[in-house]
């Protein structure tokens, strides 16, 4: 089994956003490089409660980083993110 990625080892913005957990779960560990550091398309199929929402958050962070300036500021007019929430409860979050 692959060791889990500790959130403390991720970049500062990812640590801020994902700081509510100590480490990524096995599925998130497996896909985090693509989600956080690549603009390639990806498809994640996993059961309810497997952590897909945090993977979606990682892809949003990757997109924000792609348009950030050297200081990390994001020109909000340069980026659009659409997340389709599978449940009403998630949409409220």
């Amino acid at each position: 089994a692959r060791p889990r990625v500790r959130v403390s080892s991720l970049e500062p913005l990812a640590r801020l956003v994902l700081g509510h957990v100590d480490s990524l779960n096995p599925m998130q560990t497996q896909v985090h490089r693509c989600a956080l550091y690549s603009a390639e398309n990806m498809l994640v199929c996993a059961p309810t409660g497997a952590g897909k929402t945090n993977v979606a958050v990682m892809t949003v962070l990757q997109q924000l980083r792609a348009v950030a300036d050297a200081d990390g500021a994001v020109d909000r007019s340069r980026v659009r993110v659409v997340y389709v929430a599978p449940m009403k409860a998630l949409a409220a979050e």
Side-chain angles (χ1 to χ4, degrees):
R2 175 181 289 175
R4 292 180 175 199
V5 171
R6 297 202 49 83
V7 170
S8 62
S9 72
L10 300 175
E11 62 183 37
L13 186 56
R15 287 195 309 263
L16 175 69
V17 174
L18 300 171
H20 61 284
V21 296
D22 291 328
S23 61
L24 302 180
N25 70 29
M27 181 273 293
Q28 294 163 342
T29 294
Q30 187 168 356
V31 302
H32 87 281
R33 289 184 196 273
C34 184
L36 268 175
Y37 305 113
S38 170
E40 289 187 40
N41 294 330
M42 64 183 296
L43 175 65
V44 176
C45 299
T48 299
K52 296 180 298 290
T53 299
N54 280 347
V55 172
V57 168
M58 287 187 253
T59 66
V60 171
L61 295 176
Q62 185 279 327
Q63 290 295 299
L64 293 175
R65 189 175 52 261
V67 298
D69 65 20
D71 295 324
V74 173
D75 177 357
R76 291 170 55 180
S77 69
R78 294 185 56 210
V79 65
R80 296 285 184 268
V81 175
V82 175
Y83 175 69
V84 179
M87 299 173 9
K88 186 176 179 179
L90 261 181
E93 264 185 47

